[in-house]
Structure formats: C-alpha cells, structure tokens
C-alpha cells in the first residue's frame, strides 16, 4: 500500500504553526486586557494626583509670573523676593532650622533604631507601634502639648520651680531653641520608622565573620555596618529636610508670625486679611518647591554614589 506523504504533512505538520499563532495571539490579547484593567484601577489615583497635586502646582507656577493685578505677565515677584532682605531671611531661617532638625533627628534615630533591635520581638512590635503613633503627632496638637508642658506656665516649668530645681528658668519655648526642639521631636519618630528596616539587612554572620578575622565592634560598624545603613540615612535626611521646610501648623501654633519662616510668609501672603498678595506667595511657594526638589536631587546623586546597584 502506497502512503500519500503529502496528505499526511498537510493534515499534521502544517496546522501546528497555525495553532501556535492562535496561542500567541490569545496571550497578547490577554496581556492587553490585563494592562487595560490595571490602568482602569489606577484611574482614580491618577485623577486624584492631577486634581490635588499637579493642578495646584501648575496654577502656583502660573500665578508666580503675574503682577499683583493678576493680569500683566512679569518677573517682578521673583525680583522682589531676591531684592528683599526680609524674604531672603525667611528662606535662610527655614534652611537653617531644617538642616539642624534633620541632622539631630537622624543621629538620634540611628541610635534609637539600633536599640530597638536588641529587644525581643514582642517588645519590639510595641515600640514600633508607639513610634508609629508618635510620628503622626504633629501640627497644632503637638504645639499645644509643648505649651502645656514647657510653656511659661507649663506643668514641668511650674513643677520644677516649686521643688527648687528650676531647670527651665532660662528656657524659652517661644524662641528659636524651643522651635527647633519641637521640630526635632516630631522628626525623630519618622526617622526611626525609616531607618529601622535597614538594620534588618545587617546579618549576624557578618558580625561573626568580622570577629573571627580580628575586627572589633568599632571596626565592624565603620567598615560594614555604617556603609550598609548609609543609603537609608541619606534618604531619611532628605525626607526630614523637606518635611521641615514645608512644616507650617506647628510653627504657626507655637510662635505665630513672630519668627520669619518661609512657610509662615507664604501663608500670610495667601490667606492674610492685611497684605493679600497671592502672586508673591506663589513665587515663594515655587522657591520652596524648588528647594525640596533640590533636596530630592541631592538624595538621588548621593544614592548613586553610595549604592552600587544604581551606578
């Protein structure tokens, strides 16, 4: 019996590529539908970002190039800022208080986060829970709490004066020292929450290997521990710096308009009943946003220098 091989090839071999093409088309369609579904889920978040972040930012940048009448396009608002010692002082004061509070908070957070790792898991979870709650305690409630405790007639101020140990005799809560203290207080819990996970990346075997090779505890932290923590420390510092630059409610509730800070000046120009200049306030807001973007850029540059996987 003679076998027709051509018929055999047409019926068996040729349909296989067609079958594979159908499978590939279905896989492509499935991936397209999956992407459309994910985009649909992200749509509310995208609208939220556009409406409450990108929209106001674009409006602020646009208003900063208008004159006080809101009609004429000009650069006078920026010229006014850079020619005014008052507004330059506000920028300088905000930079100084942000740098000081961020540096001190990071140093304290590194030490406190390391101490957390020495406790049992149960105590560690409770400490992290308290730290998480404390990181959300800021603004007007925080300022009022400090006023009640350390103000001129505060609880601790009167208590120590009654028992003869007037510790807070020379301390003024409504001064630069008090303001920096409050900033540091609400920055430390946030810094701890950001730095603590980095300690999980330090393996116990590294300490044992360093000890077997004759390394001391100090040499381990200088050559192994701190380099591992450095990316987290740098990133935390930039976040704390930006957080301090934009802080408004805490400073306003504590010192009002007695001290010249950038965030307070922006609020006074935008919402004041005396000198309402929203265009000038928008220009100050653009400079504040540029400062924060500069801090983020510095953080990225430092990360690329420190982390090998980003080089």
């Amino acid at each position: 019996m003679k076998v027709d091989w051509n018929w055999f090839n047409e019926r068996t071999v040729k349909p296989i590529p067609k079958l594979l093409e159908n499978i590939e088309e279905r896989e492509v369609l499935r991936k397209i539908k999956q992407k459309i579904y994910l985009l649909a889920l992200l749509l509310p978040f995208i609208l939220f970002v556009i409406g409450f972040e990108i929209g106001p930012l674009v409006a602020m940048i646009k208003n900063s190039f208008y004159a006080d009448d809101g009609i004429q396009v000009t650069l006078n608002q920026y010229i006014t800022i850079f020619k005014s010692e008052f507004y330059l002082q506000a920028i300088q004061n905000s930079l100084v208080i942000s740098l000081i509070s961020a540096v001190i908070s990071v140093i304290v957070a590194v030490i406190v986060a390391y101490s957390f790792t020495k406790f049992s898991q149960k105590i560690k979870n409770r400490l992290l829970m308290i730290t998480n709650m404390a990181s959300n305690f800021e603004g007007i409630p925080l300022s009022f709490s400090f006023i009640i405790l350390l103000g001129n007639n505060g609880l601790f101020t009167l208590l120590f004066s009654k028992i003869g140990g007037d510790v807070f005799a020379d301390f003024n809560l409504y001064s630069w020292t008090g303001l920096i203290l409050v900033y540091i207080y609400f920055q430390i819990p946030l810094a701890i929450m950001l730095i603590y996970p980095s300690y999980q990346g330090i393996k116990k075997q590294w300490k044992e290997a360093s000890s077997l090779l004759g390394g001391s505890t100090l040499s381990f932290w200088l050559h192994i521990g701190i380099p591992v923590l450095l990316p987290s420390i740098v990133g935390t510092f930039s976040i704390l710096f930006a957080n301090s630059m934009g802080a408004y409610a805490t400073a306003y509730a504590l010192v009002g308009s007695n001290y010249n800070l950038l965030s307070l000046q922006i609020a006074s120009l935008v919402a004041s009943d005396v000198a309402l200049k929203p265009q000038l306030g928008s220009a100050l807001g653009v400079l504040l946003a540029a400062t924060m973007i500069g801090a983020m850029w510095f953080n990225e540059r430092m990360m690329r220098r420190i982390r090998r996987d980003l080089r």
Side-chain angles (χ1 to χ4, degrees):
M1 180 178 179
K2 186 178 180 180
V3 179
D4 188 357
W5 294 105
N6 292 329
W7 178 88
F8 181 78
N9 291 333
E10 291 178 357
R11 291 291 185 268
T12 57
V13 179
K14 288 184 179 180
I16 292 177
K18 294 182 180 179
L19 182 61
L20 292 176
E21 289 178 3
N22 293 333
I23 294 174
E24 291 177 356
E25 290 178 359
R26 290 177 183 177
E27 184 67 20
V28 170
L29 290 175
R30 188 186 67 82
K31 289 182 179 180
I32 293 174
K33 290 180 180 179
Q34 186 178 10
K35 290 180 179 180
I36 294 174
Y37 177 72
L38 293 175
L39 288 174
L41 293 177
L42 287 175
L43 184 60
F45 175 74
I46 294 172
L47 294 176
F48 177 83
V49 171
I50 294 174
F52 292 93
E53 294 188 17
I54 298 178
L57 179 62
V58 173
M60 182 180 68
I61 296 174
K62 180 182 177 182
N63 289 334
S64 68
F65 290 102
Y66 283 109
D68 291 339
D69 57 6
I71 300 174
Q72 184 180 359
V73 178
T74 179
L75 293 174
N76 287 339
Q77 306 297 349
Y78 293 98
I79 295 173
T80 301
I81 293 172
F82 289 109
K83 283 187 175 181
S84 172
E85 294 183 1
F86 180 73
Y87 292 124
L88 291 178
Q89 185 188 43
I91 297 173
Q92 180 182 354
N93 290 341
S94 296
L95 289 173
V96 170
I97 195 172
S98 298
L99 284 172
I100 294 175
S101 63
V103 169
I104 296 176
S105 299
V106 166
I107 293 174
V108 175
V110 168
I111 299 172
V112 175
Y114 174 72
S115 67
F116 280 10
T117 62
K118 298 299 180 181
F119 292 100
S120 63
Q121 189 62 41
K122 184 177 180 181
I123 298 177
K124 194 185 304 182
N125 292 336
R126 292 181 179 178
L127 291 174
L128 290 174
M129 180 184 65
I130 295 172
T131 305
N132 188 24
M133 289 189 297
S135 65
N136 295 297
F137 185 61
E138 56 182 341
I140 295 177
L142 176 62
S143 298
F144 283 166
S145 299
F146 267 88
I147 292 172
I148 293 171
L149 296 176
L150 297 176
N152 295 333
N153 295 314
L155 175 63
F156 289 144
T157 305
L158 297 177
L159 177 63
F160 282 102
S161 64
K162 291 293 183 182
I163 63 178
D166 202 357
V167 180
F168 300 102
D170 299 326
F171 176 74
N172 183 12
L173 180 64
Y174 311 105
S175 63
W176 276 110
T177 305
L179 192 59
I180 291 175
L181 176 64
V182 175
Y183 271 58
I184 291 172
Y185 181 86
F186 77 76
Q187 295 267 61
I188 287 177
L190 177 61
I192 293 173
M193 296 298 296
L194 294 173
I195 293 177
Y196 172 77
S198 300
Y199 281 98
Q200 308 302 319
I202 299 177
K203 306 298 182 182
K204 184 179 179 181
Q205 293 83 350
W206 297 352
K207 297 180 181 179
E208 295 174 352
S210 176
S211 178
L212 290 174
L213 293 174
S216 61
T217 303
L218 180 61
S219 63
F220 169 79
W221 285 107
L222 289 177
H223 297 95
I224 301 174
I226 293 179
V228 171
L229 296 175
L230 199 56
S232 178
I233 292 174
V234 173
T236 301
F237 172 80
S238 63
I239 292 174
L240 297 183
F241 176 82
N243 190 33
S244 296
M245 285 291 296
Y248 165 72
T250 302
Y252 181 77
L254 189 65
V255 298
S257 58
N258 296 326
Y259 287 91
N260 192 10
L261 293 176
L262 185 57
S263 58
L264 297 179
Q265 295 307 321
I266 294 173
S268 66
L269 291 171
V270 174
S272 175
D273 295 331
V274 179
L276 186 63
K277 295 183 177 180
Q279 290 79 18
L280 184 58
S282 297
L284 286 172
V286 171
L287 294 179
L288 176 60
T291 305
M292 294 182 179
I293 293 173
M296 296 297 106
W297 175 82
F298 174 77
N299 174 43
E300 182 183 357
R301 296 289 295 179
M302 291 299 296
M303 286 292 187
R304 290 187 179 277
R305 287 179 175 271
I306 295 170
R307 292 179 56 179
R308 296 179 179 177
D309 58 324
L310 294 178
R311 293 179 184 175

